[in-house]
Amino acid sequence: MSKTVTIAIDAMGGDHGPYVVVPAALGLLKAHQNVALVLVGDQETLYAELHRRGVDVGERLAVQHASQKVEMHEPPSQALRTKKDSSMRVAIDLVKQGRAQASISAGNTGALMAIARYVLKTLPGIDRPAIMTAMPSMIGHTHVLDLGANVDCTAEHLLQFALMSSVLVSAVDDNEAPTVGLLNIGQEEIKGNNQVKRAARLLANSSLNYVGYVEGDDIFKGSADIVICDGFVGNVALKTTEGVAKLISHFLREEYRRNLFTRLIALASRPVLQAYREKIDPRYYNGASLVGLRGIVVKSHGGADEIAFTNSIRVAIREVEKDIPQRISNRLQSLLVERPAVV
Amino acid sequence: MSKTVTIAIDAMGGDHGPYVVVPAALGLLKAHQNVALVLVGDQETLYAELHRRGVDVGERLAVQHASQKVEMHEPPSQALRTKKDSSMRVAIDLVKQGRAQASISAGNTGALMAIARYVLKTLPGIDRPAIMTAMPSMIGHTHVLDLGANVDCTAEHLLQFALMSSVLVSAVDDNEAPTVGLLNIGQEEIKGNNQVKRAARLLANSSLNYVGYVEGDDIFKGSADIVICDGFVGNVALKTTEGVAKLISHFLREEYRRNLFTRLIALASRPVLQAYREKIDPRYYNGASLVGLRGIVVKSHGGADEIAFTNSIRVAIREVEKDIPQRISNRLQSLLVERPAVV
């Protein structure tokens, strides 16, 4: 039997707070016998929510009180300074104290990054943590980072992102040497800005499985297992992806609702549309990893429903089981020993 | 009757050259009685292609010989230096000489930009031309620029893009004061890089209908008529959009082909899927404008088919009919008169 994995969950974060977190947690506990969860937040609310569902705390389910909550649009520095007893902060503190092996929040991304970085610190050799998620591709999925933690990255930062993510992906996807692509634009000569050109040279000289430049559409073709970019570009790519997917769903729904005949077709098409949705449904891709920290922190989408939030807990469990921060640290150490001058 | 619009077409550009350009041109001439087209390229090939279709040149259809062709991956500076008799260059020369009011090419974007800029020059007050296209949104379409002509833009360049596109969109969409959004990422505090923050201040102080920051998904929600970004980010957003749309089509097709039952559903769904496709089909959005030049140049997608290429000719016609370069120039002049210190 595998040893118990304990995850601290910010139960007050996101658009729905405990009303999504609690049922997701309960469902997950049933499916994963080796997992224990700590729900962090206002204890009165949390106990009420548990009792309403006829559940009590026990060996694998605990409540940890936190008197504050980080607001969705609160500036990160303010959250860091004034919200020391927030559900987000306390969940990360539990990881720092070794009482949990990972924490999850659907709250304010900027605040989560700031607090996680302040409390847990970055791994030696890593300047900045990055946010990484999987996106669907024709042949499986592609991991993309950074998705918004860092704007104005240097080439060295991009190299660090590639190193960290290669370690993570090789462990969680059982992929010995994941391929790494550097996001760029297609025009010749004016190709790339200086930061990207320099990063390409660093990647080509690294021990990573670097496959060269990729473009935005390569994320979905599966041209590389990992796509590296700065946080500004990555965030635009992520939001664009969400926007296109929603637009397409909107138009499909509109067409299927046009008249009685199209409504009947929609009914008949249900299994097809359902199967299709499961392949690209963002809920099944929910759970972005904050990589580069001395601890595991996963960010759920703020609007996550029960299915989506459950998936983010699974992302955290996988990273705990594979001991990701330690693996990244070991890899960085071995690189520093091999080539002292270069990370 | 409106006066004749003459468009010079690089008939050798793109993946299919004359085999797409010639039928598109002939179809367009039938639909638009006030348009004349000049097909530029290898005259032997072009005459053969016309004769094969039982057509001859005449008052509204001419062939202009060009002995060279710019290759798809040729460096722009090389194309500029060594391809002075290329179909792309000659088509743009015709605009410069006043023998055509616009030119279109499906060839190498970097070369097209370099040649257009060299031959036609930028408008007074404009440092760099930009590439702009329309993308579908829930409420119509959104114009996005720059899409890859400029990486590493300054805030002043972004302001110029906003000015030029506002003039263009107000004319072609009959929209007095189109709304302008600045593409950014959502995280608070770390919001935006310095260039974006500075551009926001310039836009807020301009006479444009600036509505503030927008994110990647806002392009498809239609939150602003125009979305401004630097060419690197814009190109990633464009390619990402193409990639997601292709992935979704791929999965839908896969699901509909699963078995006999799903194939029957696909058959029944045809009118629905067709109507839906027409709304987001990139062919109906083909034709990116090179704005900021003293002449009209439209870039077609390299892989354009007849429908798509025809659409790019329509984009050029609209810009000629609305006299876009002159309008942009007038607007810039009036701004210079009003506030001599600021563009």
Side-chain angles (χ1 to χ4, degrees), chain A residues 162 166 177-184 196-197 199-214 228:
Chain A
S166 291
T179 53
V180 176
L182 183 61
L183 194 59
N184 199 351
V196 167
K197 285 178 195 163
R201 282 196 295 274
L202 294 179
L203 283 164
N205 289 326
S206 75
S207 57
L208 301 173
N209 192 3
Y210 176 61
V211 296
Y213 291 136
V214 295
I228 303 293

Side-chain angles (χ1 to χ4, degrees), chain A residues 54-266:
Chain A
V55 182
D56 209 343
V57 294
E59 219 175 291
R60 293 174 50 224
L61 179 64
V63 166
Q64 172 74 48
H65 182 62
S67 62
Q68 294 176 305
K69 181 178 180 280
V70 173
E71 301 301 327
M72 281 312 248
H73 294 288
E74 196 165 352
S77 60
Q78 183 183 311
L80 190 58
R81 224 172 38 241
T82 67
K83 296 286 176 78
K84 289 183 185 158
D85 197 38
S86 63
S87 51
M88 184 186 280
R89 173 70 172 262
V90 172
I92 294 173
D93 284 340
L94 290 175
V95 176
K96 174 72 179 173
Q97 296 154 9
R99 291 167 61 200
Q101 283 103 57
S103 79
I104 303 171
S105 176
N108 181 329
T109 311
L112 184 67
M113 183 52 96
I115 293 172
R117 198 173 163 179
Y118 177 79
V119 172
L120 299 174
K121 314 295 178 210
T122 53
L123 288 165
I126 296 297
D127 297 327
R128 299 175 175 195
I131 303 177
M132 166 171 161
T133 198
M135 291 165 86
S137 85
M138 296 212 186
I139 57 169
H141 58 263
T142 305
H143 300 270
V144 185
L145 77 166
D146 174 43
L147 296 174
N150 310 280
V151 294
D152 297 322
C153 299
T154 65
E156 286 73 19
H157 294 139
L158 295 176
L159 175 64
Q160 290 174 12
F161 298 167
L163 275 165
M164 301 190 291
S165 55
S166 291
V167 175
L168 193 156
V169 170
S170 85
V172 299
D173 282 358
D174 275 327
N175 178 346
E176 182 68 32
T179 53
V180 176
L182 183 61
L183 194 59
N184 199 351
I185 67 173
Q187 262 81 297
E188 291 298 329
E189 211 152 354
I190 55 167
K191 192 170 232 173
N193 47 32
N194 289 331
Q195 155 228 42
V196 167
K197 285 178 195 163
R198 283 199 50 234
R201 282 196 295 274
L202 294 179
L203 283 164
N205 289 326
S206 75
S207 57
L208 301 173
N209 192 3
Y210 176 61
V211 296
Y213 291 136
V214 295
E215 297 188 47
D217 51 341
D218 287 305
I219 296 170
F220 309 95
K221 285 183 192 160
S223 311
D225 298 317
I226 298 166
V227 170
I228 303 293
C229 55
D230 93 16
F232 193 98
V233 172
N235 193 272
V236 168
L238 179 72
K239 294 282 169 65
T240 299
T241 302
E242 288 176 11
V244 178
K246 273 187 197 158
L247 179 72
I248 290 177
S249 299
H250 167 82
F251 280 155
L252 270 177
R253 210 165 31 236
E254 211 175 46
E255 286 308 325
Y256 275 121
R257 283 187 187 159
R258 195 161 291 282
N259 55 45
L260 186 63
F261 177 64
T262 59
R263 279 169 195 268
L264 284 171
I265 295 170

Side-chain angles (χ1 to χ4, degrees), chain A residues 72-78 108-110 131 135-140 147-152 183-196 215-221 230-233 235-252 254-256 258 261-262 265 268-273 275-276 279-280, chain B residues 72-78 108-110 131 135-140 147-152 183-196 215-221 230-233 235-252 254-256 258 261-262 265 268-273 275-276 279-280:
Chain A
M72 281 312 248
H73 294 288
E74 196 165 352
S77 60
Q78 183 183 311
N108 181 329
T109 311
I131 303 177
M135 291 165 86
S137 85
M138 296 212 186
I139 57 169
L147 296 174
N150 310 280
V151 294
D152 297 322
L183 194 59
N184 199 351
I185 67 173
Q187 262 81 297
E188 291 298 329
E189 211 152 354
I190 55 167
K191 192 170 232 173
N193 47 32
N194 289 331
Q195 155 228 42
V196 167
E215 297 188 47
D217 51 341
D218 287 305
I219 296 170
F220 309 95
K221 285 183 192 160
D230 93 16
F232 193 98
V233 172
N235 193 272
V236 168
L238 179 72
K239 294 282 169 65
T240 299
T241 302
E242 288 176 11
V244 178
K246 273 187 197 158
L247 179 72
I248 290 177
S249 299
H250 167 82
F251 280 155
L252 270 177
E254 211 175 46
E255 286 308 325
Y256 275 121
R258 195 161 291 282
F261 177 64
T262 59
I265 295 170
S269 301
R270 230 181 196 162
V272 171
L273 295 175
Y276 146 76
K279 281 196 178 158
I280 64 144
Chain B
M72 281 312 248
H73 294 286
E74 195 165 352
S77 59
Q78 184 183 309
N108 181 329
T109 311
I131 303 177
M135 293 166 87
S137 85
M138 296 213 185
I139 57 168
L147 296 174
N150 309 282
V151 294
D152 297 321
L183 193 59
N184 199 350
I185 67 174
Q187 262 80 298
E188 291 299 328
E189 209 153 353
I190 55 167
K191 192 169 232 173
N193 48 31
N194 289 331
Q195 155 228 42
V196 167
E215 296 189 47
D217 52 339
D218 287 305
I219 296 170
F220 308 95
K221 286 183 192 162
D230 95 14
F232 193 97
V233 172
N235 194 273
V236 168
L238 179 71
K239 294 282 169 65
T240 299
T241 302
E242 288 176 13
V244 178
K246 272 186 197 157
L247 179 73
I248 290 177
S249 299
H250 166 81
F251 280 154
L252 270 178
E254 211 174 45
E255 287 308 325
Y256 275 122
R258 195 161 290 283
F261 177 63
T262 59
I265 295 170
S269 304
R270 227 174 199 172
V272 172
L273 295 175
Y276 145 75
K279 280 195 180 160
I280 65 143

Side-chain angles (χ1 to χ4, degrees), chain B residues 22-224:
Chain B
V22 170
L26 298 179
L28 190 117
L29 286 174
K30 271 189 204 149
H32 294 256
Q33 295 299 322
N34 67 327
V35 173
L37 300 176
V38 183
L39 302 176
V40 184
D42 178 65
Q43 60 187 10
E44 212 170 307
T45 310
L46 290 175
Y47 279 118
E49 194 53 31
L50 288 173
H51 294 163
R52 203 167 68 80
R53 294 168 190 272
V55 182
D56 209 343
V57 295
E59 219 175 292
R60 293 173 48 222
L61 180 64
V63 166
Q64 172 73 48
H65 182 62
S67 62
Q68 295 176 305
K69 181 180 179 279
V70 173
E71 300 302 327
M72 281 312 248
H73 294 286
E74 195 165 352
S77 59
Q78 184 183 309
L80 191 58
R81 224 172 39 240
T82 67
K83 296 287 176 77
K84 290 184 183 157
D85 197 37
S86 63
S87 52
M88 184 186 279
R89 173 70 172 263
V90 173
I92 294 172
D93 285 341
L94 290 176
V95 177
K96 173 75 180 171
Q97 295 154 9
R99 291 168 59 200
Q101 283 103 57
S103 79
I104 302 171
S105 176
N108 181 329
T109 311
L112 184 67
M113 183 51 96
I115 293 172
R117 198 174 163 176
Y118 176 80
V119 173
L120 298 175
K121 313 296 180 211
T122 52
L123 288 167
I126 296 297
D127 297 326
R128 301 175 174 193
I131 303 177
M132 166 171 159
T133 198
M135 293 166 87
S137 85
M138 296 213 185
I139 57 168
H141 58 263
T142 305
H143 300 270
V144 185
L145 78 166
D146 174 42
L147 296 174
N150 309 282
V151 294
D152 297 321
C153 299
T154 64
E156 285 74 18
H157 294 139
L158 296 175
L159 175 64
Q160 290 174 11
F161 299 167
L163 275 165
M164 301 190 291
S165 55
S166 291
V167 175
L168 193 155
V169 170
S170 84
V172 299
D173 283 358
D174 275 327
N175 178 347
E176 182 67 34
T179 52
V180 176
L182 183 61
L183 193 59
N184 199 350
I185 67 174
Q187 262 80 298
E188 291 299 328
E189 209 153 353
I190 55 167
K191 192 169 232 173
N193 48 31
N194 289 331
Q195 155 228 42
V196 167
K197 285 178 195 163
R198 282 198 52 234
R201 282 196 295 274
L202 294 179
L203 283 164
N205 290 325
S206 75
S207 56
L208 300 173
N209 192 2
Y210 176 60
V211 295
Y213 291 136
V214 295
E215 296 189 47
D217 52 339
D218 287 305
I219 296 170
F220 308 95
K221 286 183 192 162
S223 312

